[in-house]
Amino acid sequence: MSSDFTALRRRFPVLQRKTYLNSGSYCALAESVRAAINAYMDDRVLMGANWDVWVTKNEAVRAAMAEVLRVTPAEIAVTASASAGLNALASALDFTGRRNKIVVSDFEFPTNAQIWHAQEQRGARVVHARRAADGYIPAESFAGLIDEETLLVAVTYVCFRNGAKLDIPGIVRLARAHGARVLLDCYQAVGAVSVDVRALGVDFAVGGMLKYLLGTAGIGFLYVRAELLPQLIPANSGWWAQENIAAMDITANRPAASARRFEAGTPAVVNCYAAEAGLKIILEVGTDAIEARVRELSRRCMDGLEEIGWAAVTPARDDRRGPMVAIASRDAAGLFAHLMQQDIVTSFRDANIRATIHFYNSEDDIDTFVAAMKGERAAFQPGGGR
Ligand SMILES: Cc1ncc(COP(=O)(O)O)c(C=O)c1O
């Protein structure tokens, strides 16, 4: 396990040129990830196709992702995106009975609400847990919604708009009491926060490799708790989801016994190369060490913003925050552009600027950002920074 963060930082060249606080949108590229993509390109140039090696890459990603989530490889499907995993799972659920309600929250990334609303044509009913007056959604807000008719509670771990982290153990307790399953969208957390799906008690989880997992776009995962696999037969399928991929049997659908049954067609080979290399770094540093480092830096950012009189909208409590610090602005797009001119890379959603932090960020990165925000107060803070 390595936690010399100064040395680790050197592996990400963009950090020498930019104050990069944008991992919640797309991670900084590590040299080793770039080398992995180049290794694939070398195969293409030198051999044309190298399928014997390529097929092992999908399995390497599965094994590494299982290690990150602290589960078995048989519980992981390697998918093209978080959305692909959600759709495959939804296709295995039956909404025709009395238990047909899906509970989502106001903090969801669109895909984890839209896909469930899309199931309304198959009999699903979707209800939303609303935010409370303080902007947070406590577990109690789910209490009146989760009942004996609830099939699934599908919730984000960290909200992509404001960085708030939901009380997953509290939500899981409510779901369990009523026999409902829980799906965790951990895309804005996994890689920067330890996501121990067994300890959290969730049944399913989705995410992808382009943010805190240090890989690339076009590859994601679906976790399905082993005990549930036999009863879930996806209607979305394909030849790579079959028990025997080589069978080429066109007379039947014989899904794999493992979570591979939620996959579909030929894997995105180049993305597997990048994802494997990214996951390797996460496992080398260790998710507990990463979480502690990210918390320290996000706390510094929260405190710094408070000091300049422009407090974040992200919850102040450490247990209600992941790697994102979100700050409300009069003109988030304008502020984003101003920061970019100072080589500070952030992102924005709605009225919020988002500083998203990984272990490779430094105290200097945070201080540079806070100092720049101080300079932008008069022009961009709601109320004019007075
Ligand atoms: C919380 C969350 N869920 C889901 C997604 C979308 O995932 P995908 O594009 O892989 O379907 C994102 C992307 O930013 C996200 O932040």
Side-chain angles (χ1 to χ4, degrees):
M1 195 158 290
S2 162
S3 39
D4 178 350
F5 291 108
T6 311
L8 286 165
R9 186 177 161 84
R10 284 189 217 109
R11 300 190 199 172
F12 299 82
V14 72
L15 304 179
Q16 285 158 32
R17 308 179 48 217
K18 305 276 182 194
T19 300
Y20 196 80
L21 295 167
N22 192 32
S23 306
S25 180
Y26 212 137
C27 60
L29 178 69
E31 287 288 19
S32 60
V33 175
R34 177 171 151 151
I37 293 171
N38 286 344
Y40 166 77
M41 289 301 172
D42 289 346
D43 272 0
R44 298 281 287 120
V45 169
L46 299 173
M47 306 176 68
N50 190 8
W51 278 111
D52 286 351
V53 171
W54 292 352
V55 290
T56 67
K57 291 292 172 186
N58 203 43
E59 294 312 311
V61 172
R62 188 190 317 284
M65 197 59 237
E67 204 176 331
V68 169
L69 297 179
R70 303 174 190 175
V71 296
T72 63
E75 296 173 295
I76 299 290
V78 180
T79 59
S81 60
S83 302
L86 289 170
N87 276 313
L89 175 65
S91 81
L93 300 178
D94 177 9
F95 303 102
T96 58
R98 190 163 158 264
R99 203 182 265 281
N100 62 357
K101 195 204 280 189
I102 310 290
V103 179
V104 300
S105 81
D106 270 356
F107 283 176
E108 298 318 308
F109 189 85
T111 215
N112 192 36
Q114 292 157 348
I115 288 171
W116 300 114
H117 280 291
Q119 308 313 312
E120 286 166 347
Q121 63 194 309
R122 299 176 55 220
R125 287 176 299 133
V126 183
V127 299
H128 291 239
R130 302 292 179 198
R131 67 186 75 199
D134 66 355
Y136 189 65
I137 310 181
E140 301 83 74
S141 297
F142 290 80
L145 302 174
I146 301 174
D147 56 22
E148 309 306 314
E149 297 185 358
T150 306
L151 180 64
L152 184 72
V153 182
V155 282
T156 194
Y157 203 176
V158 172
C159 176
F160 78 110
R161 294 178 200 274
N162 59 27
K165 186 172 165 207
L166 287 179
D167 172 10
I168 300 303
I171 295 167
V172 167
R173 269 194 298 280
L174 285 168
R176 286 282 166 276
H178 296 280
R181 307 281 181 218
V182 178
L183 175 137
L184 184 67
D185 174 357
C186 58
Y187 213 147
Q188 287 293 337
V190 67
V193 168
S194 283
V195 181
D196 184 331
V197 288
R198 279 201 218 294
L200 288 169
V202 300
D203 302 289
F204 313 106
V206 290
M209 280 59 159
L210 74 86
K211 303 179 192 291
Y212 301 100
L213 290 176
L214 306 181
T216 191
I219 184 162
F221 65 86
L222 165 68
Y223 157 74
V224 179
R225 185 158 64 79
E227 295 74 14
L228 300 177
L229 281 167
Q231 68 207 58
L232 293 170
I233 313 288
N236 279 16
S237 192
W239 64 303
W240 280 69
Q242 302 294 300
E243 183 59 37
N244 179 3
I245 298 171
M248 303 290 175
D249 176 6
I250 61 169
T251 66
N253 172 39
R254 294 194 178 84
S258 71
R260 191 167 53 73
R261 62 175 52 189
F262 293 96
E263 296 179 16
T266 312
V269 179
V270 64
N271 299 343
C272 291
Y273 271 77
E276 183 194 12
L279 290 164
K280 204 169 160 193
I281 302 172
I282 296 297
L283 290 169
E284 177 196 339
V285 185
T287 54
D288 290 343
I290 293 173
E291 178 170 334
R293 175 66 175 156
V294 167
R295 189 181 302 123
E296 185 178 62
L297 291 173
S298 69
R299 162 62 42 215
R300 186 183 186 96
C301 190
M302 298 284 293
D303 291 348
L305 290 164
E306 178 97 45
E307 264 166 43
I308 64 163
W310 194 351
V313 295
T314 307
R317 277 174 52 173
D318 282 350
D319 64 340
R320 287 190 174 177
R321 198 175 63 246
M324 178 188 298
V325 174
I327 307 104
S329 172
R330 288 215 298 279
D331 170 11
L335 176 54
F336 164 80
H338 269 230
L339 292 170
M340 199 64 122
Q341 281 160 12
Q342 299 164 65
D343 282 332
I344 301 171
V345 187
T346 59
S347 57
F348 62 98
R349 290 282 184 205
D350 310 327
N352 295 339
I353 273 283
R354 308 183 307 175
T356 49
I357 297 165
H358 215 331
F359 67 83
Y360 48 58
N361 288 119
S362 63
E363 279 78 4
D364 277 355
D365 286 344
I366 303 298
D367 297 349
T368 301
F369 171 66
V370 172
M373 290 290 280
K374 189 174 180 186
E376 302 294 347
R377 274 188 68 198
F380 292 105
Q381 186 172 9
R386 284 181 292 276

